[in-house]
Each structure stands twice: as C-alpha cells, then as structure tokens.
Amino acid sequence: MLELLVSAFAGIAALVVVCSGLVIRFKSPQPRMREESENFYLGIDDRRQRLGDLNDDASVDLSIVVPAYNEEARLPVLLEDIRKYINSRRQQEPHFKYELLVMDDGSKDKTLTVAIEYAKKHKIRELKAVRHIRNRGKGGAVTQGVMCSLGRYILFCDADGATQFSDIDKLLSKAEHGAIAIGSRSNQALTGTVVERSHIRAFLQWGFHTYVTMLGVHGIRDTQCGFKLFSREAARRVFPNMHVERFIFDVEILLLAKYQNIPVVEVPVNWHEVAGSKMSIVRDSIQMALDLLAVRLNYLLGNWKIKD
C-alpha cells in the first residue's frame, strides 16, 4: 500500500513539473522592443516630437496614461471627463501642469485621429498621441506610456471612462512617500461610492480574486480596476521590471510591489460598466489564468530577476 502511495505521489509530482515547464515554455510573455517611430508623439500642431523618459526628472505634476485599442467611440467620453477635471483643478491651482498620453495600441479604427481632433478642438497642448505599429496588449500600452511619462505622479486609466475621473483626488491623497494607490470596485471596500456591473462580471471577479489569492497576491480585493496611480519613485521601481503585456499585467504590478515592499493602498472609486469591452469572457479568462501561473512560476523559480 505504501509503495502505491509513493508511486502515485511521484507520478503527480512529475506531472506538476511537466505542466509547469510547459506553462513557462509556452505562456511566458516576450515583450517586443520599441520601434523607433514609437519614441515620438503627435500633438495639436501635427509635429512629431520625442517622448520623455521615466528616468528623467519630473517636469509636470501629473501624467495620465490611457491605453486605447479601437476606442474611437468611447475615448471622447473619457477625454471630456479629464478636461472638466483639469479645468476645475486649475481654478484652484492655476499653475497645475499635466500631460495626457493616449497610447494607440495598433488600432484599426480612428482612435488616434479622434484623440488629436479632440485636442485641437479644445486647444489641449498637453495631449500626446502615440501610435504603436503593432498591437502589444493593454499591459504593453500602459508600460510604454509610463516609461515615457514626466509626471511627479503617474495615473493610468481605461479608455472607456468607466471610473469617475475626479476620484483621482482620492488616490492622490494616498500615493505619497513612494506608494501606489489603486482604485477598487470591491463592494466590501466601498463606502459611499457607486459600482454598477453585471452579475456575470461580478462572479468572474470573485473567481479571479480567489485564484489570484491562491497564487500569492494577498490583501487586495480588486486587482483589475483600470485606475491606478503611482508616485514617480514607485513607477521607476515597478515598470522597468514588467514582462506582461496583456490583461494580467495588473497582477504583475502588484507582485513587483510586494517583492520590493512598496506600499499599495486600495481606494474606493465610483465605477460603472461600459459596453464595448474588447475582452472575451471565456477566452481571455482562460488566457489570464495561464498567464498568471506563468508569471508566478517565473518569479518563484528565479527566471525573472528584479532590477535595482
């Protein structure tokens, strides 16, 4: 009987090793190098200008990074929300400086044109429209945007405008001293905020949260909210180490923060579901589960090292 148990255990262990090796081999992300043209942006004067660098000193108060793939319909709503916030902020702080980086991630529609035309209409010289030659994925678009940001604080937010942009003030109050402040749609975390989502989306979030917790990210109720704020110091420690370019990138951010003892504060935000998501519930959920396992294994086995 003991021999059977030992054989069964050895067989299970061998299967786990083989499966882990296959996941690492075939699911580990391989970010591509930035093309030369992706080092430049277009603004309202239609001139190509070189982007900044995260390693440079901050020259504006806030950088806003918006990853956008085929977002010509939804992007104007977010841009209007941001414009209203900036106008209100400048009434209190006339010298408030910001930049708005719209990262067009290889869109097949007029996302880039829509962004530039909106900026021209409202004379927003701070808007920088960047086009990726090939689609990277949301995580890749965010990482590339952050890596060329010039703000003392850096926010990335989804292009659909699902989160009330003025809630950034709540995050700013928590992101001092090198911290990361992340928006949360978790009902348990919310006090006086509004979250509107479908039942299927709520169920999937619960299942994903359980899986993420099992793989080592503890204490965060909502890892996937597309509204996260970084001090420049925190961004410099996290984003040069990023590997994931698709939906699971949020979890790698939190893992990198955990490994480097960077404080992460979860902040309730007002959020509503917006039609037009590019995510396939079944296909992308499976993809995210495999990607997350690959990320965890690579860090656990030391295949990925954190740069100082």
Side-chain angles (χ1 to χ4, degrees):
M1 183 66 177
L2 180 59
E3 291 180 355
L4 288 175
L5 288 174
V6 171
S7 297
F9 179 79
I12 293 172
L15 181 62
V16 169
V17 170
V18 170
C19 290
S20 297
L22 289 173
V23 168
I24 292 173
R25 173 67 178 84
F26 294 104
K27 299 306 298 180
S28 295
Q30 302 291 334
R32 67 174 175 85
M33 296 294 291
R34 188 188 294 179
E35 300 286 346
E36 177 60 23
S37 66
E38 296 171 342
N39 290 312
F40 297 85
Y41 70 88
L42 287 175
I44 61 174
D45 55 5
D46 293 323
R47 287 192 303 113
R48 290 174 73 245
Q49 299 180 65
R50 184 168 287 276
L51 290 160
D53 192 305
L54 185 61
N55 291 316
D56 294 340
D57 292 336
S59 57
V60 297
D61 298 302
L62 174 67
S63 294
I64 305 165
V65 177
V66 181
Y69 178 68
N70 293 344
E71 292 288 0
E72 65 177 9
R74 303 195 298 178
L75 183 60
V77 176
L78 172 66
L79 296 179
E80 182 65 12
D81 204 12
I82 292 173
R83 187 177 71 87
K84 289 179 178 178
Y85 170 81
I86 295 298
N87 289 343
S88 175
R89 181 75 180 263
R90 282 180 166 169
Q91 288 181 359
Q92 304 170 37
E93 302 175 47
H95 300 294
F96 177 77
K97 295 181 180 180
Y98 79 105
E99 63 175 352
L100 172 54
L101 294 103
V102 177
M103 308 300 293
D104 179 3
D105 195 26
S107 297
K108 296 178 174 63
D109 66 1
K110 297 180 180 179
T111 294
L112 193 78
T113 301
V114 166
I116 293 174
E117 288 181 350
Y118 184 92
K120 288 180 178 179
K121 177 181 178 181
H122 296 284
K123 298 179 175 58
I124 303 175
R125 303 196 66 84
E126 294 87 354
L127 187 139
K128 302 176 179 180
V130 182
R131 179 168 178 77
H132 288 164
I133 294 176
R134 298 190 307 278
N135 177 265
R136 288 178 177 271
K138 179 182 174 183
V142 168
T143 296
Q144 293 301 311
V146 173
M147 290 298 293
C148 58
S149 293
L150 297 173
R152 289 194 303 114
Y153 292 96
I154 303 168
L155 173 86
F156 78 76
C157 61
D158 287 348
D160 58 6
T163 304
Q164 182 176 296
F165 191 81
S166 59
D167 282 351
I168 187 178
D169 287 338
K170 301 177 184 178
L171 273 63
L172 283 165
S173 68
K174 302 292 185 180
E176 298 177 348
H177 309 299
I180 299 171
I182 65 174
S184 176
R185 304 159 296 182
S186 173
N187 290 332
Q188 292 79 13
L190 297 175
T191 53
T193 55
V194 177
V195 171
E196 300 174 1
R197 66 158 69 90
S198 65
H199 293 301
I200 183 65
R201 191 155 188 164
F203 173 76
L204 287 171
Q205 182 183 345
W206 172 82
F208 185 74
H209 169 69
T210 302
Y211 179 59
V212 167
T213 302
M214 290 171 58
L215 288 181
V217 180
H218 305 286
I220 302 297
R221 297 182 178 91
D222 184 3
T223 61
Q224 299 307 111
C225 182
F227 202 71
K228 292 181 171 67
L229 181 76
F230 304 81
S231 66
R232 193 167 187 80
E233 175 189 346
R236 283 173 170 169
R237 296 172 66 187
V238 168
F239 284 92
N241 289 295
M242 289 290 293
H243 300 84
V244 179
E245 293 204 308
R246 298 207 172 270
F247 289 114
I248 205 67
F249 79 101
D250 299 83
V251 179
E252 187 179 12
I253 287 173
L254 297 174
L255 280 172
L256 286 166
K258 174 185 175 182
Y259 294 150
Q260 299 180 83
N261 296 314
I262 302 172
V264 177
V265 183
E266 201 168 4
V267 182
V269 293
N270 293 284
W271 184 92
H272 66 284
E273 191 167 343
V274 178
S277 173
K278 309 302 182 298
M279 184 175 176
S280 166
I281 290 178
V282 176
R283 184 192 67 237
D284 288 327
S285 293
I286 295 172
Q287 180 72 40
M288 289 170 69
L290 292 172
D291 286 348
L292 177 54
L293 182 58
V295 168
R296 195 69 178 93
L297 286 171
N298 275 296
Y299 280 116
L300 188 64
L301 297 175
N303 294 336
W304 292 350
K305 306 293 186 182
I306 298 177
K307 307 168 189 173
D308 294 331

